[in-house]
Amino acid sequence: MKIEANLLISKIKKDKFWIISYIVVLAVAVAYCLFNDENIFSNNKTFYLLIGYPKNLTNDKFIYTLINLYTIVYFIYFTITYFNYELENYCDNLIIREKSKKWIIRKTLAIILSIILIKILNIILVLFLYNYSYPFDYKIIFFTLTYYITISINSILINIVIKNNAIVIILSLILSTLIFHYIENVITLFAIIIISLIFIITYFNFKKIFKLKYN
């Protein structure tokens, strides 16, 4: 996993604009709550919205919609660009030194671990802005992490069957938004992840992906 760790570090450095922008938007959201005398330090619903908890929580404040949409778009973008990086830049060496199934399993696992790491840092940041006064709820955190893993896995799946990356991002965003608002059961999310993983591992090979995207 050393290769993946180096790729992740490189990817995060390239994505610094996205990350800084997210921190700014998040800080503005918290400042907005405080300015409007909203007691965010005891408001569970606000905390859920700020960490991207995937449930249909009705809220008329545009800032929360913006944060969640921004986060979803970034994770889709991160997944697709991270997945395609080696395919775009090291295709010849990749085919020589790697087997298709071994590579797709390694790459998918690396993306899952990266998503968990980034999302945990995201949650820690929200807790920091909350002054660590929110009672930690592992069920909420687990459900949130599972959702973002789901959207990343679905993005990989769409990415390996559709050629145009812009279409991949649009379809991933539509699917992720539907899941965000309408799926409230972690078992359903796990079922989506498992079915998607089976298809990804079964379908993927280098010849298909290179013929699909790079010819």
Side-chain angles (χ1 to χ4, degrees), residues 39-57:
N39 188 7
I40 66 172
F41 303 113
S42 63
N43 189 335
N44 292 356
K45 182 178 175 181
T46 304
F47 179 82
Y48 298 162
L49 289 163
L50 288 173
I51 67 170
Y53 179 55
K55 237 177 178 182
N56 190 17
L57 301 170

Side-chain angles (χ1 to χ4, degrees), residues 56-97:
N56 190 17
L57 301 170
T58 55
N59 194 291
D60 58 359
K61 293 182 175 64
F62 175 73
I63 191 70
Y64 298 123
T65 302
L66 178 63
I67 288 173
N68 289 326
L69 181 61
Y70 192 95
T71 307
I72 291 169
V73 170
Y74 174 68
F75 275 92
I76 292 170
Y77 165 81
F78 173 87
T79 299
I80 292 170
T81 54
Y82 185 49
F83 183 88
N84 289 335
Y85 182 80
E86 285 180 280
L87 297 172
E88 293 173 349
N89 295 283
Y90 306 108
C91 57
D92 293 335
N93 291 334
L94 197 60
I95 293 174
I96 293 172
R97 66 181 170 81

Side-chain angles (χ1 to χ4, degrees), residues 23-34:
I23 293 172
V24 170
V25 172
L26 191 61
V28 168
V30 174
Y32 175 89
C33 295
L34 293 173

Side-chain angles (χ1 to χ4, degrees), residues 181-197:
H181 287 292
Y182 297 110
I183 295 183
E184 302 183 356
N185 190 312
V186 72
I187 296 175
T188 305
L189 292 179
F190 269 111
I192 293 171
I193 290 172
I194 292 170
I195 292 170
S196 298
L197 283 173

Side-chain angles (χ1 to χ4, degrees), residues 31 52 82 89 100 102 145 177 187:
Y82 185 49
N89 295 283
S100 295
K102 181 180 177 181
L145 290 175
T177 303
I187 296 175

